Amino acid sequence: MFGKDFLPNLKAEDSQSFKFIWPIATEKISERVTSVFGESRWDHFHNGLDIASFYEPVIAIGDGKLLYSRYSADDPFREEWGSGDTVWIDHGEGAYSAYYHLNPGRKKFIDLNIKKGQEIGTTGNTGHSSGGHLHFVLTLDYGQKIINPLIFLPKIEDETPPSIGGLSIHVGERYTNINSGDTINLSKEFPFTVQIMDSGVRSSQRFGVESVQFKLNGKLIKDSKFKFIRFENGVWVNDASLTFTDLFMKDRYFIGNLALPSGEHTIEVTAIDFHGNAAVKTFLFYVTRI
């Protein structure tokens, strides 16, 4: 029921043909990942993986060619507030990898050809970064589709299912938690959200999830996946063409604007993390229409 499938237009063997490695060589990589792909950044999707690191070698995940690099030394009078010092590599077949927030000081390359495992920089804290880490991005279709890197990188340890928190109803900027068995008074349609977290090997890790599904009174109303995002009609959308505001309200997962009649209702939430661990939680509550 909860088996992992690959995204549309991406064959399962594609993830094997590249044979990528992790961009930082460490045995404890599962403890160093601090953010995953597709998470909420309050007003936009997180488009890669964050790996806690400082002054460590960054290595190319596969063979390729140096596509682009940008360092503060290139333009010392204009600070880069976003990605910071950055390297991009073209791996062929339309696949690019990007390495953000590198420590100042460009590596000297003999030519544009890059070998898998070759050092291409050092982790740092440049650009829009609040601590030493590598922000790693992987794209397909010549940069038109940003992919969840965990599909392509070697598997890491994670046997912990997501944790589904409270159900909430929002009125303006305020929200109220709904406990199972509660009765709520409704006069019109209101937004409903739920808090979902996923921890890895350390309980302090707080990740988003790979997919989340909502059922209202047994009927599927939303099935959201975070395998890739693409730019469509001027906004970033997921594989189901859902925008950030379709999927999130700030840091909470958006169920929908619900106009519920009087009576008993259930909302069932199914969350699956990037390693196939699943959690299901059902909220039962009563509505009085006013």
Side-chain angles (χ1 to χ4, degrees):
M1 177 179 178
F2 302 116
K4 295 188 69 178
D5 55 349
F6 284 91
L7 45 140
N9 303 318
L10 176 63
K11 298 177 182 177
E13 59 266 24
D14 290 342
S15 65
Q16 302 300 320
S17 64
F18 286 113
K19 299 187 183 302
F20 290 143
I21 59 176
W22 280 83
I24 297 176
T26 173
E27 294 180 355
K28 296 183 177 180
I29 194 69
S30 59
E31 298 181 11
R32 304 276 289 280
V33 175
T34 58
S35 297
V36 294
F37 179 82
E39 293 179 336
S40 168
R41 286 297 178 269
W42 285 77
D43 61 358
H44 66 279
F45 297 110
H46 189 240
N47 70 356
L49 289 178
D50 285 347
I51 305 170
S53 178
F54 205 40
Y55 291 122
E56 289 185 296
V58 176
I59 58 179
I61 63 168
D63 294 342
K65 291 183 179 294
L66 184 64
L67 180 68
Y68 169 84
S69 66
R70 194 277 180 195
Y71 279 79
S72 53
D74 299 334
D75 189 351
F77 301 104
R78 182 177 68 85
E79 187 170 357
E80 174 57 64
W81 286 101
S83 56
D85 292 1
T86 304
V87 167
W88 283 77
I89 297 174
D90 180 352
H91 299 284
E93 301 181 50
Y96 302 155
S97 61
Y99 312 77
Y100 291 180
H101 310 308
L102 299 178
N103 196 55
R106 175 184 279 108
K107 294 287 295 182
K108 293 183 178 180
F109 299 104
I110 298 176
D111 55 39
L112 296 181
N113 294 309
I114 304 292
K115 295 295 184 183
K116 180 166 71 173
Q118 178 179 339
E119 185 175 341
I120 59 171
T122 305
T123 53
N125 191 30
T126 57
H128 186 65
S129 173
S130 59
H133 75 286
L134 175 69
H135 179 86
F136 174 71
V137 177
L138 185 62
T139 77
L140 292 183
D141 292 351
Y142 302 95
Q144 299 179 79
K145 186 182 291 183
I146 306 178
I147 301 295
N148 165 26
L150 290 175
I151 294 174
F152 287 85
L153 296 174
K155 303 300 181 187
I156 60 174
E157 179 185 355
D158 183 1
E159 297 180 354
T160 306
S163 174
I164 301 172
L167 177 70
S168 297
I169 183 170
H170 294 247
V171 182
E173 293 298 313
R174 293 186 173 186
Y175 64 88
T176 301
N177 291 327
I178 302 172
N179 299 309
S180 285
D182 280 356
T183 297
I184 57 175
N185 298 319
L186 297 181
S187 59
K188 59 180 182 178
E189 176 182 275
F190 287 100
F192 283 72
T193 66
V194 66
Q195 186 76 50
I196 303 174
M197 292 288 188
D198 182 52
S199 64
V201 295
R202 293 186 292 108
S203 59
S204 60
Q205 290 171 310
R206 292 290 183 269
F207 300 146
V209 293
E210 185 272 337
S211 69
V212 59
Q213 183 184 92
F214 303 118
K215 291 182 179 179
L216 174 62
N217 300 325
K219 181 181 179 180
L220 180 66
I221 58 172
K222 186 179 289 184
D223 190 1
S224 306
K225 292 182 173 59
F226 301 92
K227 294 179 183 293
F228 72 86
I229 56 175
R230 66 178 182 275
F231 203 60
E232 180 179 285
N233 298 322
V235 293
W236 287 98
V237 298
N238 75 343
D239 49 324
S241 294
L242 297 174
T243 67
F244 178 85
T245 53
D246 293 328
L247 297 165
F248 292 104
M249 285 191 71
K250 297 181 179 178
D251 63 338
R252 304 177 68 86
Y253 288 84
F254 179 50
I255 299 171
N257 292 310
L258 306 181
L260 301 176
S262 294
E264 179 183 291
H265 297 278
T266 60
I267 292 178
E268 180 182 286
V269 181
T270 300
I272 307 173
D273 69 15
F274 289 99
H275 300 90
N277 304 304
V280 181
K281 187 173 183 178
T282 300
F283 299 90
L284 184 150
F285 57 96
Y286 302 88
V287 168
T288 299
R289 195 74 176 185
I290 57 175

